[in-house]
Amino acid sequence: MRRSADERRSEILRAAVALFEQNGFDATSVEEITAKAKISKGLAYHYFKSKDEILLALIGLRLAELDDLTRRLRAEPSAERRLQILIDQLLDDVISGEKRQRFLITTFLQPQNNKLVQKAMKVSPERFESLQQEEIRLLADLGFKDAEAELPLFRAGMQGMAFLYLLNPAAFPLRQVAAQFVLKYSKKQEQT
Amino acid sequence: MRRSADERRSEILRAAVALFEQNGFDATSVEEITAKAKISKGLAYHYFKSKDEILLALIGLRLAELDDLTRRLRAEPSAERRLQILIDQLLDDVISGEKRQRFLITTFLQPQNNKLVQKAMKVSPERFESLQQEEIRLLADLGFKDAEAELPLFRAGMQGMAFLYLLNPAAFPLRQVAAQFVLKYSKKQEQT
Amino acid sequence: MRRSADERRSEILRAAVALFEQNGFDATSVEEITAKAKISKGLAYHYFKSKDEILLALIGLRLAELDDLTRRLRAEPSAERRLQILIDQLLDDVISGEKRQRFLITTFLQPQNNKLVQKAMKVSPERFESLQQEEIRLLADLGFKDAEAELPLFRAGMQGMAFLYLLNPAAFPLRQVAAQFVLKYSKKQEQT
Amino acid sequence: MRRSADERRSEILRAAVALFEQNGFDATSVEEITAKAKISKGLAYHYFKSKDEILLALIGLRLAELDDLTRRLRAEPSAERRLQILIDQLLDDVISGEKRQRFLITTFLQPQNNKLVQKAMKVSPERFESLQQEEIRLLADLGFKDAEAELPLFRAGMQGMAFLYLLNPAAFPLRQVAAQFVLKYSKKQEQT
DNA sequence: TATGAATGAGCTTTCATTCAT
DNA sequence: GATGAATGAAAGCTCATTCAT
């Protein structure tokens, strides 16, 4: 069955990510991926130079999604609504994409993946810069005088919620905590 | 060379943790561990039923350290100083034990380790309960009317700082952010 | 060197059976099998899921040979000649295939192989039924009024000869005893 | 706990035989044997030079039992009762000692055990000779003119019954067939 | 006698990758 | 493009045996 190269690549990536999420990168064999994608092993190596390249492509796809978030933040004038966009994105990533998020986090944290991760991030470094600018603008618009200084703490709160939920979803009331978080940062305007 | 059982176990664990931190659990072979511990492969299996059991022992050791933290919190009357204890512990874990912390986090997050992690945590479940009680007491003493409700957000901030530092130490000014964090929570007394 | 899948499977089985006969299943390593078949170790696992599966295939091949015997019995009208067919088969199995027979017997008798043997026999259970029917018909045609009741004793005699020969070929005059056995069962017509 | 050497040896052998019967010789480790016998591994090697020596001792014990059978046959004047003694012994060996019998047969048949078996039988070769004399005498007394010529067929019947029962106890009505066998050989007096 | 720490060779199995077809 | 046969290295684990204590 002839398909376009892009279609093929997508099929392989779709199969791979499902298996990586479930069993981890190391515990997933190329054989399993190709079986799930219903292609031969040889063909997978036609499209990807190695198993690592598959992971690389996966990370790339994920990072590309950040651009969309940045764009949406740029387009929204209201600071409150921008804060809500960020929170909604977090909730969606972490609740709908629970397994994927766990997989990405562990991939990024494992030192043996360092080179790979560096490689993936080098593709478009301005990506992170743009998002950060949006976050700073948000904090400034929310009333923080030194928004840049506030950013790390803001991010820590965000990532911390995500992390604790992923660690034990049943034990962490993510939606509720997220609402508290929004409240805390919305009120900031009148303070500081 | 004959050694006592405890000594040997420790040597193996010491070698294992160093390698796990550096290359990850999967990428570390039992052969490498025993080479580093300067013993034969067979002997490792004399002391640990499997490679997984080595990891289990390692996690157990780490969790046991929590008890010490809880004890120190209990013993300290001043809320401000208790907050500082928590922060210092965090800084120490994450700066001095950067690699180890990364290793533990990824171990806990990877779904393929679920059973293992469950097993390790079952050993002493009251451990987490006690620490949580201390954290709630701290927040209450810091002036939070509903300390229990505040806990998740507090923890999110703490874990988020640790996480962002581990993700990219050079890009996250941990000490500085931690200071901000302390400030924010110390002031709470007069608010809410 | 590329070969067809069937060819390869046969090569592996041929090598395996020779080694199993000589040294036993447990004492034969997959490495030895693949060395003898002049292929890599990995390839054996491409064709057989496990070492056990190789044994399973071997047993299957052997059991399939029973069908041929049943067919030949069915086709022969004379009872005397049918008795001779059975005896000839026994002599052939046990004299030409001495080692193989010893290997099969021990494989079937060892309790640790129980599951394997059950699995191998489940493939075609009617096989044994058909052969048994032929044996009963033979005994009936040889003059036994209750052929079904006679069958176990008949079989015991047959198997006993085989067994004693295999136990110590030099000490058991199989051909001669087989001739006595034939004589005894041929005369039955006039008796009982 | 100090015990006599003989007691110790017996304990080890008892443990070993139970495990060998269940899992086979190869699949039983010395560790398992010593655990079952509640002694240390070192001690087992104090009493037996090797794992093979344990098997050797086991076979020796079994062969020694033959002497008792021979003695009982010698002491009994009635041929019918002697036949019954043989049959009873067979039934007992094979029904009560089903697993053990299976283990012994496979041990004797496996070519890799040849040297071991030879060694075990060399201890007292006259043992087999004596029993054989008794069997010949029995057949003669039962009315066979050429008892010596009849012996192989007689033995084949005996061993065949044992073998078929061990192969599949549920499918072979041993007691009933044994009764038929006795009948057949008892009547011989008037024939031939 | 008695222990169990220690070894080292060997086992089955997996797997990323290559390549003839 | 597409297949799957083929490789070889390495992994986790077992085990008979030895030996210091």
Side-chain angles (χ1 to χ4, degrees), chain A residues 107-126:
Chain A
T107 301
F108 273 79
L109 280 180
Q110 279 169 322
Q112 65 265 36
N113 294 333
N114 257 349
K115 280 168 209 157
L116 202 73
V117 169
Q118 300 300 332
K119 208 174 162 186
M121 310 228 299
K122 235 178 290 174
V123 172
S124 176
E126 73 282 8

Side-chain angles (χ1 to χ4, degrees), chain C residues 139-157:
Chain C
L139 290 173
D141 291 355
L142 283 173
F144 285 97
K145 291 209 178 108
D146 191 349
E148 207 157 333
E150 188 65 21
L151 183 63
L153 213 50
F154 174 75
R155 281 188 162 181

Side-chain angles (χ1 to χ4, degrees), chain D residues 108-159:
Chain D
F108 274 80
L109 281 180
Q110 280 169 321
Q112 65 265 36
N113 294 334
N114 256 348
K115 279 168 210 157
L116 202 74
V117 169
Q118 300 300 332
K119 208 173 162 188
M121 309 229 300
K122 233 179 288 172
V123 172
S124 176
E126 72 282 7
R127 184 173 281 158
F128 307 100
E129 183 59 29
S130 309
L131 181 52
Q132 178 165 329
Q133 286 311 325
E134 275 309 307
E135 290 175 314
I136 291 171
R137 187 168 69 91
L138 167 62
L139 290 173
D141 290 356
L142 284 173
F144 286 96
K145 289 204 178 115
D146 190 350
E148 207 157 333
E150 189 65 21
L151 183 62
L153 213 49
F154 174 76
R155 283 188 161 180
M158 294 282 286
Q159 292 299 330

Side-chain angles (χ1 to χ4, degrees), chain B residues 4-168:
Chain B
S4 84
D6 271 2
E7 267 181 282
R8 279 294 191 221
R9 277 183 69 97
S10 295
E11 280 169 30
I12 294 170
L13 291 176
R14 211 175 308 139
V17 82
L19 290 163
F20 290 168
E21 284 171 13
Q22 196 152 59
N23 307 321
F25 178 77
D26 289 317
T28 300
S29 71
V30 173
E31 183 115 38
E32 285 172 301
I33 297 172
T34 57
K36 183 153 192 152
K38 281 175 189 149
I39 58 167
S40 70
K41 222 191 309 184
L43 193 54
Y45 283 91
H46 187 67
Y47 288 107
F48 297 94
K49 274 199 313 220
S50 67
K51 196 185 163 192
D52 269 16
E53 289 275 317
I54 296 179
L55 179 52
L56 200 61
L58 245 23
I59 296 175
L61 282 182
R62 174 64 188 155
L63 292 183
E65 289 175 21
L66 287 184
D67 294 339
D68 178 57
L69 176 59
T70 306
R71 229 174 296 120
R72 274 154 49 216
L73 290 173
R74 275 221 190 91
E76 174 56 54
S78 153
E80 259 81 22
R81 275 199 293 260
R82 265 182 279 148
L83 178 57
Q84 199 57 50
I85 286 174
L86 270 179
I87 288 288
D88 288 346
Q89 181 68 49
L90 180 96
L91 292 175
D92 191 54
D93 281 350
V94 134
I95 296 176
S96 311
E98 185 186 320
K99 288 178 177 182
R100 176 151 328 175
Q101 216 59 21
R102 241 183 238 116
F103 170 62
L104 287 166
I105 286 184
T106 53
T107 301
F108 274 79
L109 280 180
Q110 280 169 322
Q112 64 265 36
N113 294 334
N114 256 348
K115 278 167 211 157
L116 201 74
V117 169
Q118 299 300 333
K119 209 174 162 187
M121 310 230 300
K122 232 178 290 172
V123 173
S124 176
E126 72 281 7
R127 183 172 281 157
F128 306 100
E129 184 57 30
S130 309
L131 182 53
Q132 177 166 327
Q133 287 310 325
E134 276 309 308
E135 290 174 315
I136 290 171
R137 188 167 69 90
L138 168 63
L139 290 173
D141 291 356
L142 283 173
F144 286 96
K145 291 208 178 110
D146 191 350
E148 207 157 333
E150 188 65 21
L151 183 62
L153 213 49
F154 174 76
R155 282 188 162 181
M158 295 282 286
Q159 292 299 329
M161 291 188 290
F163 177 75
L164 287 172
Y165 177 79
L166 293 173
L167 200 60
N168 192 353

Side-chain angles (χ1 to χ4, degrees), chain C:
Chain C
M1 204 193 317
R2 280 272 176 121
R3 299 274 187 102
S4 85
D6 270 3
E7 265 182 284
R8 280 293 191 220
R9 278 183 68 97
S10 294
E11 280 169 29
I12 294 169
L13 290 176
R14 211 176 309 138
V17 81
L19 290 162
F20 289 168
E21 285 171 12
Q22 197 152 60
N23 307 320
F25 178 77
D26 288 317
T28 300
S29 71
V30 173
E31 181 115 41
E32 285 171 304
I33 297 172
T34 56
K36 182 153 193 154
K38 280 173 189 150
I39 58 168
S40 70
K41 227 190 305 186
L43 192 55
Y45 282 90
H46 187 68
Y47 288 107
F48 297 95
K49 276 197 314 221
S50 67
K51 196 186 164 192
D52 269 17
E53 290 274 317
I54 296 179
L55 179 52
L56 200 61
L58 245 24
I59 296 176
L61 282 182
R62 174 63 188 155
L63 291 183
E65 290 176 20
L66 287 185
D67 294 340
D68 178 59
L69 176 59
T70 307
R71 229 173 298 119
R72 274 155 48 217
L73 289 174
R74 275 220 189 92
E76 173 57 54
S78 151
E80 258 81 21
R81 275 198 293 259
R82 263 181 282 149
L83 177 58
Q84 198 58 48
I85 286 174
L86 270 178
I87 288 287
D88 288 347
Q89 182 68 48
L90 179 95
L91 292 176
D92 191 54
D93 282 351
V94 134
I95 295 176
S96 312
E98 185 186 318
K99 288 178 176 181
R100 176 152 325 177
Q101 214 60 21
R102 242 184 237 116
F103 169 62
L104 288 165
I105 286 184
T106 54
T107 301
F108 273 79
L109 280 180
Q110 279 169 322
Q112 63 264 39
N113 295 333
N114 255 348
K115 279 167 210 156
L116 200 75
V117 168
Q118 300 297 334
K119 208 175 163 187
M121 310 228 301
K122 232 179 290 174
V123 173
S124 177
E126 72 280 9
R127 185 171 281 159
F128 307 100
E129 183 59 30
S130 309
L131 182 53
Q132 178 166 326
Q133 286 311 325
E134 275 309 308
E135 290 175 313
I136 291 171
R137 186 168 71 90
L138 167 63
L139 290 173
D141 291 355
L142 283 173
F144 285 97
K145 291 209 178 108
D146 191 349
E148 207 157 333
E150 188 65 21
L151 183 63
L153 213 50
F154 174 75
R155 281 188 162 181
M158 294 281 288
Q159 292 297 331
M161 290 189 290
F163 176 75
L164 287 173
Y165 177 78
L166 294 172
L167 200 60
N168 191 352
F172 195 82
L174 178 57
R175 291 182 187 284
Q176 194 180 315
V177 183
Q180 281 176 268
F181 184 84
V182 168
L183 215 66
K184 199 166 252 177
Y185 273 91
S186 303
K187 285 190 300 186
K188 286 295 159 192
Q189 296 165 133
E190 303 116 47
Q191 301 171 9
T192 310

